[in-house]
Amino acid sequence: MLKGIATSSGIAIGKVYKLEQPKIVLSQSKQNKEEALKLFEKAMEKTIADIERIKERAAATLRPEELAIFDAHLMMAQDPEFKDQIIAKINEGINADQAAKEVSDMMIGMFEAMDDAYFKERAADIKDVSFRLLCNILGLNIPDLSSIDEEVVIVAEEMTPSDTAQLNKKYALGFVTEIGGKTSHAAIMAVALGLPAVVGCTGVMAACKHGDKIILDAKSGDVIINPSDEELKLYEEKRQKFLEEKEALQVLLDKPTISTDGHQVELVANIGSPKDMDNVIANGAEGVGLYRTEFLYMESTDDFPSEEDQFEAYKVVLERAQGKRVVVRTLDIGGDKKLPYFEFDPEMNPFLGYRAIRLCLDRKDIFKTQVRALLRASVYGKLAIMFPMIATIDEFKNAKQFVLDTKEELLKEGVKVSDDIEIGMMVEIPASAVLADEFAKYADFFSIGTNDLIQYSMAADRMSEKVAYLYQPLNPSILRLIKMTIDGAHSQGRWCGMCGEMGGDPMAAPVLLGLGLDEFSMSATKILPTRKIITSLNKKEMEELAGKALKCHTESEVSELVKSVLKD
Ligand code: PEP
Ligand code: MG
């Protein structure tokens, strides 16, 4: 048995299709300049035509945001600077293939060296395009995955973005690659396509040949080539069980989330951009519990996003939510989230510094643009506004008053604003959790930001690997803060949600249900599994469990309690 990195879930059993990419061997004999230029121009044209053709075919199976990979490739292939640099090298007397390789390698190196994950990923795009270009210059054939017409499991050295995009789900049962990590393009695409895949499986290419039988388990990372009859039987059963469980989850798609004794909670999604709404809808979320608007600000490179740009984004999200509540969090910048066009003064502890609502209350000009855009968009759906990092009641009152004043201003301008906007706050600073019953006299709702609440309660930087052991959502101290927050909200007839990672943690669900959490907000793909757990639990019993958990001394004691009620 071989072991690779698990990417998703699911099991594939089938015949090996070995994807063997042509080996690039650069030309040895010297090309004359004209010949090299012609060769390059023709290869470039073919490369662009190839990408356009692949994109066209992929359009049948991929969603628009996944197809965007090909736009990135086309942009790269049509980038005048890329082309000019290669031509300049050819004009210096270098062969076309050598020139293309040198320029590509330089650009790949440049992008790979960047800190930003987005730019690092661009390096994979350049590799993909330059490989195609080099093959076209050298007259090498690239295998055409879209022509596969029987059920196979693909085994490859590496799956480039265009390889994965060419896969026809009807025939590709899954894939195994030698290289790649959990966040590699191939792994991300496998999840998007819903295909079982194992990446980083060293030795798999040498271990199999075309037509061999293969089993891959995308959850454990196990790969078995030419399995025994017993192994086949075992994995066939596992596969059946997985498919049945997946199918069973689909039944929950449009169902409410009700415990066995009739208590209903809301399961909603965290999003970072209007694009995420596809996933929200596909996974049966009952609305949006956290829209992190800072991504709008971080994507912009030269200035704060305009009122118009923001209005458009909020309008799309509200319209697509079709009347379900959308909780939009106002700008949460600072700490680790910086902007290229805004200078933060250096601070010793940026996480404890000038950030989020503190910055917005100080820079009302910045805050005003966002609040105007939000209020204008409010007529397109059910908007709730939430302020991040509230520590004091004065901060909340000031921020809320600012929204109300801005509403008056808009109404005077003749702009329509909804009359039904809830104004709430994140509880992510221990001070506000402790005083939650008083905050609840002013805020329409709370959403507990456990990522920060735990960081500030434990005094443990959430970015530091070394103190990661202190991220203990089930520590009784954290549970007591959560209880205070939920009870505080309920004492004034308010609702309380949770949008930190703990909100989608299966181990936390029983205790949170028992503590009376009203709304659980999480990444969309966790909605159905969480719905399955909660609908199998009894609220009254979970209240007892939560009562015991609050009296525990350690996180591991709470974990043991939870494990006793979770079936798998
Ligand atoms: C949180 O702190 O739990 C939260 C949801 O906000 P963020 O992770 O964006 O800080
Ligand atoms: Mg936070």
Side-chain angles (χ1 to χ4, degrees):
M1 188 192 305
L2 295 166
K3 194 97 185 154
I5 299 167
T7 59
S8 50
S9 51
I11 286 168
I13 304 175
K15 255 187 358 191
V16 169
Y17 175 99
K18 225 168 149 183
L19 176 65
E20 279 170 299
Q21 300 285 10
K23 286 253 173 307
I24 303 275
V25 181
L26 294 184
S27 54
Q28 296 303 312
S29 56
K30 180 103 194 68
Q31 298 154 359
N32 77 43
K33 220 182 282 179
E34 279 67 45
E35 184 194 348
L37 277 174
K38 231 191 243 151
L39 200 58
F40 167 64
E41 295 281 0
K42 267 183 88 175
M44 201 64 184
E45 266 170 39
K46 182 166 176 352
T47 302
I48 293 169
D50 284 351
I51 302 170
E52 276 169 346
R53 182 176 40 81
I54 298 170
K55 180 181 169 191
E56 219 166 275
R57 280 202 206 155
T61 46
L62 294 188
R63 292 202 299 255
E65 65 268 28
E66 289 149 14
L67 279 177
I69 280 186
F70 297 107
D71 292 324
H73 286 191
L74 281 172
M75 233 162 80
M76 171 72 218
Q78 288 163 335
D79 177 11
E81 212 180 304
F82 180 58
K83 198 171 161 179
D84 288 350
Q85 286 192 38
I86 298 174
I87 292 176
K89 284 206 181 281
I90 295 176
N91 281 330
E92 282 168 21
I94 297 176
N95 279 358
D97 43 332
Q98 179 72 32
K101 185 165 187 320
E102 283 179 16
V103 173
S104 309
D105 285 352
M106 186 267 297
M107 290 181 86
I108 292 163
M110 204 171 79
F111 278 94
E112 273 180 346
M114 292 188 186
D115 278 340
D116 189 298
Y118 173 81
F119 288 114
K120 270 197 200 312
E121 242 178 59
R122 297 283 74 78
D125 292 334
I126 303 172
K127 267 189 206 162
D128 199 330
V129 173
S130 61
F131 177 73
R132 191 168 290 284
L133 174 64
L134 275 173
C135 287
N136 285 336
I137 294 175
L138 296 166
L140 301 170
N141 247 341
I142 300 180
D144 184 0
L145 283 173
S146 60
S147 67
I148 295 176
D149 57 1
E150 58 173 343
E151 288 193 342
V152 290
V153 172
I154 291 144
V155 178
E157 179 74 21
E158 187 180 12
M159 292 286 278
T160 64
S162 49
D163 289 333
T164 28
Q166 283 179 75
L167 294 178
N168 183 339
K169 266 184 78 176
K170 195 165 150 207
Y171 300 119
L173 303 173
F175 64 81
V176 187
T177 64
E178 286 261 344
I179 39 185
K182 242 190 171 36
T183 57
S184 62
H185 246 305
I188 292 165
M189 288 298 275
V191 175
L193 288 162
L195 275 181
V198 173
V199 296
C201 184
T202 318
V204 68
M205 282 294 267
C208 70
K209 55 182 190 310
H210 226 63
D212 277 350
K213 192 129 194 140
I214 186 168
I215 296 175
L216 77 89
D217 182 338
K219 199 168 175 187
S220 64
D222 293 342
V223 174
I224 307 173
I225 293 156
N226 292 327
S228 65
D229 286 348
E230 292 92 271
E231 284 170 325
L232 257 179
K233 190 164 169 273
L234 177 73
Y235 278 90
E236 192 49 65
E237 279 165 15
K238 276 194 186 184
R239 198 174 79 92
Q240 270 313 324
K241 186 161 174 266
F242 170 80
L243 291 176
E244 278 162 25
E245 280 172 6
K246 197 168 162 203
E247 189 57 36
L249 285 180
Q250 287 302 309
V251 175
L252 298 173
L253 205 56
D254 303 313
K255 294 274 187 312
T257 312
I258 304 177
S259 67
T260 54
D261 53 344
H263 178 80
Q264 184 163 357
V265 296
E266 258 179 80
L267 297 193
V268 292
N270 291 351
I271 64 166
S273 115
K275 287 197 304 247
D276 298 337
M277 288 306 286
D278 281 339
N279 245 337
V280 171
I281 296 161
N283 285 286
E286 297 165 77
V288 172
L290 168 66
Y291 177 2
R292 290 183 162 103
T293 58
E294 57 272 15
F295 290 108
L296 247 160
Y297 290 73
M298 283 152 78
E299 274 162 16
S300 179
T301 49
D302 51 352
D303 202 354
F304 284 95
S306 67
E307 181 180 318
E308 219 42 48
D309 287 348
Q310 295 197 47
F311 165 74
E312 280 305 324
Y314 305 147
K315 177 171 175 248
V316 168
V317 172
L318 283 160
E319 280 181 338
R320 296 207 61 198
Q322 296 194 315
K324 291 179 180 140
R325 186 197 290 124
V326 174
V327 180
V328 182
R329 178 172 75 185
T330 59
L331 181 59
D332 184 6
I333 207 73
D336 60 320
K337 300 170 193 154
K338 301 279 190 259
L339 300 174
Y341 46 84
F342 182 79
E343 186 103 23
F344 285 88
D345 288 335
E347 290 177 297
M348 290 289 280
N349 294 297
F351 273 105
L352 305 180
Y354 184 65
R355 54 173 298 197
I357 199 67
R358 303 165 182 189
L359 184 152
C360 285
L361 287 175
D362 179 51
R363 288 292 306 267
K364 298 261 174 55
D365 52 329
I366 297 171
F367 198 25
K368 180 64 134 299
T369 312
Q370 180 169 44
V371 173
R372 278 180 64 95
L374 277 169
L375 293 173
R376 281 176 54 202
S378 66
V379 292
Y380 294 95
K382 187 167 163 46
L383 172 69
I385 298 176
M386 164 162 91
F387 308 123
M389 297 288 293
I390 294 281
T392 70
I393 288 182
D394 282 337
E395 279 174 339
F396 182 80
K397 279 164 85 177
N398 288 341
K400 181 171 173 178
Q401 194 55 48
F402 187 75
V403 172
L404 298 178
D405 292 346
T406 308
K407 181 176 171 186
E408 280 309 306
E409 184 184 290
L410 281 166
L411 291 174
K412 274 202 200 110
E413 287 172 25
V415 178
K416 283 205 185 78
V417 178
S418 165
D419 268 335
D420 181 24
I421 305 173
E422 291 170 289
I423 302 181
M425 57 181 267
M426 300 221 23
V427 174
E428 51 186 343
I429 296 179
S432 58
V434 171
L435 207 60
D437 52 343
E438 301 300 332
F439 271 99
K441 293 178 179 155
Y442 306 95
D444 293 329
F445 65 92
F446 296 149
S447 185
I448 307 176
T450 46
N451 307 340
D452 279 320
L453 185 65
I454 298 170
Q455 132 161 296
Y456 295 128
S457 303
M458 295 285 182
D461 188 338
R462 65 194 255 192
M463 310 292 282
S464 162
E465 283 293 311
K466 290 228 168 75
V467 293
Y469 75 96
L470 287 168
Y471 175 78
Q472 294 187 6
L474 294 181
N475 188 295
S477 62
I478 302 297
L479 297 181
R480 288 186 188 199
L481 285 171
I482 292 171
K483 178 178 164 51
M484 277 178 139
T485 310
I486 298 173
D487 290 351
H490 291 173
S491 71
Q492 298 295 327
R494 315 296 193 186
W495 60 269
C496 184
M498 178 177 286
C499 59
E501 285 307 298
M502 185 177 178
D505 180 350
M507 283 292 286
V511 184
L512 295 175
L513 178 69
L515 290 173
L517 191 74
D518 303 295
E519 180 232 50
F520 297 60
S521 194
M522 61 198 79
S523 100
T525 51
K526 292 187 175 162
I527 299 259
L528 291 180
T530 307
R531 187 166 291 152
K532 182 171 173 226
I533 293 174
I534 294 181
T535 51
S536 73
L537 297 172
N538 179 295
K539 165 85 167 19
K540 276 265 158 320
E541 286 171 19
M542 293 310 112
E543 283 172 11
E544 276 169 36
L545 175 97
K548 284 186 200 155
L550 288 164
K551 292 201 187 102
C552 284
H553 291 184
T554 63
E555 175 175 60
S556 45
E557 283 172 31
V558 179
S559 292
E560 287 310 310
L561 278 177
V562 173
K563 279 184 200 147
S564 69
V565 299
L566 286 180
K567 289 187 190 77
D568 353 78

